[in-house]
Amino acid sequence: MSNICLTGIKPTGALHLGNYFGAMQPLLDLSKKTEFDKFLVFVANLHSINSVKDANTLRAYTQDIVLDYLSMDLDLAKTNLFLQSEIRALTELTWIFNSLITVAYLERSHAYKDAVANGKEANMGLFDYPVLMAADILLYNSNIVPVGQDQKQHIEIAQTIAKKFNSQYGQFFIIPKPYIQDNTAIVKGLDGRKMSKSYNNTIEIFESADSIRAKVMKITTDSKAPNEPKDPDNCNIMAIYRLLAKPEELSIMESKYKEGAISYKEAKEILAETILEFFQPMRNRRQELLQNSEYISEILSKGAEEANAIAETNIQKIRQLIGLK
Ligand code: ADP
Ligand code: TRP
């Protein structure tokens, strides 16, 4: 039986450093480990429609995420990339799970409570978000799910649903494990809060070099003078630099901070160039892919076909187990 690693990202706007290090880097990390022989990676467009209501905007965001994924160094021989909405059995499994899980249990979801507290429209899609996500994971009997820290509770909900199904209908689902990297669990934004589109404090990976440089210059710091010693463990510039710099570069920068041998302005200049250098291969690849829409369509249709094949086999067994057949 294959060892499946699965993950998805909602298409809701341009990819920023928080998304990359929080949600994509764990996937890249696992793709270098040999024990996983299959990677299912999808664009969670069904999860987006509870907030993105304009069709053209959704299409544009979807295309962006597909390009973002393909510009990363994924091993396409082992990876199926597809759109979530192409998987026919997914909404059926969501419905089955809806009949298994209680409203009271879902009401404890942090993401739901936060969204409602922030005045977001509480449509049924928002409430049922974790159940659709559980179906995403369990439909393929995935073993491991690389995600950002904020998705931890969603994975726990998927585990609960899997256990409940297994005890109700007989052992079928593998209990999936989350894969969360501690050092990138929460990437800080320009103002030191969590980097997020909703805080307007992001650095986007594919924005222009000048715009990245200008944003880095806006990172907030204390007001220490250029030659004053500075604390590298307590600095918004360093918090981002740490994610990107090579170990020897990092220790040089840390020494300069402690010795008061660098100004914040200089540190920002180094950070901006480090960001650009780090993502240059992805930026080049994305540019090439933009000219090659046929190649992208082929990858997506092959990805959906193979994911649907696993999904169909499993949903037939599930139907049998619950008496729909
Ligand atoms: P945003 O907060 O900008 O709207 P999303 O909610 O669309 O970002 O994030 C998509 C995924 O990227 C999240 O589920 C999370 O795993 C990851 N992510 C987003 N921001 C960060 C961050 N600042 N640090 C770590 N991971 C993040
Ligand atoms: N909820 C995830 C996010 O906001 C996206 C997602 C949907 C997902 N289904 C998934 C992630 C299944 C991992 C596994 O980032």
Side-chain angles (χ1 to χ4, degrees), residues 17-303:
L17 287 174
N19 303 138
Y20 178 81
F21 285 104
M24 286 179 151
Q25 171 106 326
L27 167 67
L28 281 175
D29 197 37
L30 285 179
S31 71
K32 306 222 160 49
K33 299 197 171 145
T34 47
E35 73 244 50
F36 300 101
D37 42 34
K38 194 151 199 63
F39 290 82
L40 298 176
V41 179
F42 61 91
V43 180
N45 54 357
L46 291 174
H47 273 113
S48 281
I49 58 175
N50 67 48
S51 59
V52 182
K53 304 290 185 187
D54 176 70
N56 286 332
T57 308
L58 182 62
R59 268 189 282 272
Y61 286 168
T62 303
Q63 195 199 12
D64 272 343
I65 294 283
V66 169
L67 287 167
D68 296 341
Y69 269 131
L70 287 176
S71 64
M72 292 176 8
D73 190 17
L74 287 175
D75 180 355
L76 288 177
K78 295 197 286 191
T79 307
N80 291 130
L81 179 66
F82 56 95
L83 304 189
Q84 183 188 32
S85 55
E86 293 295 304
I87 308 304
R88 293 172 291 272
L90 187 63
T91 43
E92 182 178 348
L93 187 59
T94 306
W95 183 253
I96 292 169
F97 289 163
N98 274 338
S99 308
L100 201 64
I101 206 79
T102 65
V103 170
Y105 178 70
L106 287 181
E107 272 171 347
R108 285 187 244 147
S109 154
H110 303 315
Y112 175 72
K113 283 196 283 197
D114 289 353
V116 172
N118 290 327
K120 239 183 141 187
E121 178 191 272
N123 57 43
M124 281 304 293
L126 181 70
F127 186 65
D128 214 27
Y129 189 108
V131 182
L132 177 60
M133 183 158 160
D136 279 327
I137 297 168
L138 300 175
L139 182 56
Y140 315 94
N141 251 328
S142 314
N143 303 79
I144 195 154
V145 187
V147 281
Q149 174 74 37
D150 62 339
Q151 297 299 309
K152 193 165 173 238
Q153 193 192 28
H154 287 152
I155 310 287
E156 287 162 5
I157 295 174
Q159 292 171 333
T160 303
I161 292 178
K163 287 179 194 156
K164 202 160 181 198
F165 183 99
N166 287 348
S167 72
Q168 182 75 44
Y169 295 112
Q171 190 64 32
F172 181 75
F173 290 117
I174 293 171
I175 309 304
K177 292 195 180 66
Y179 179 77
I180 298 169
Q181 288 178 326
D182 286 343
N183 62 331
T184 53
I186 296 177
V187 176
K188 287 187 171 191
L190 302 177
D191 54 2
R193 289 188 292 171
K194 177 190 168 196
M195 187 176 287
S196 171
K197 284 184 284 290
S198 32
Y199 295 150
N200 203 11
N201 63 356
T202 62
I203 301 173
E204 290 160 21
I205 289 166
F206 299 110
E207 63 187 310
S208 76
D210 283 346
S211 165
I212 289 184
R213 290 190 183 102
K215 280 193 176 172
V216 168
M217 285 300 154
K218 287 193 205 145
I219 295 177
T220 52
T221 60
D222 57 34
S223 53
K224 290 209 169 72
N227 54 358
E228 257 185 274
K230 302 173 181 68
D231 181 0
D233 296 325
N234 220 331
C235 169
N236 296 332
I237 308 170
M238 285 299 288
I240 301 178
Y241 188 65
R242 200 161 272 128
L243 300 169
L244 304 146
K246 301 189 182 87
E248 62 278 14
E249 292 171 339
L250 186 60
S251 60
I252 293 173
M253 187 73 123
E254 280 174 339
S255 310
K256 286 187 175 173
Y257 258 68
K258 288 179 194 152
E259 290 157 15
I262 190 163
S263 67
Y264 286 131
K265 179 168 177 286
E266 286 165 315
K268 286 177 180 176
E269 283 162 1
I270 293 174
L271 173 62
E273 297 317 307
T274 308
I275 295 174
L276 289 170
E277 199 183 312
F278 187 95
F279 291 107
Q280 198 55 50
M282 275 180 73
R283 292 165 76 92
N284 293 346
R285 176 129 179 82
R286 199 174 195 281
Q287 213 47 44
E288 284 164 24
L289 286 164
L290 273 173
Q291 331 292 327
N292 211 341
S293 56
E294 221 169 278
Y295 167 76
I296 295 172
S297 309
E298 273 168 33
I299 291 194
L300 289 177
S301 55
K302 177 178 159 279

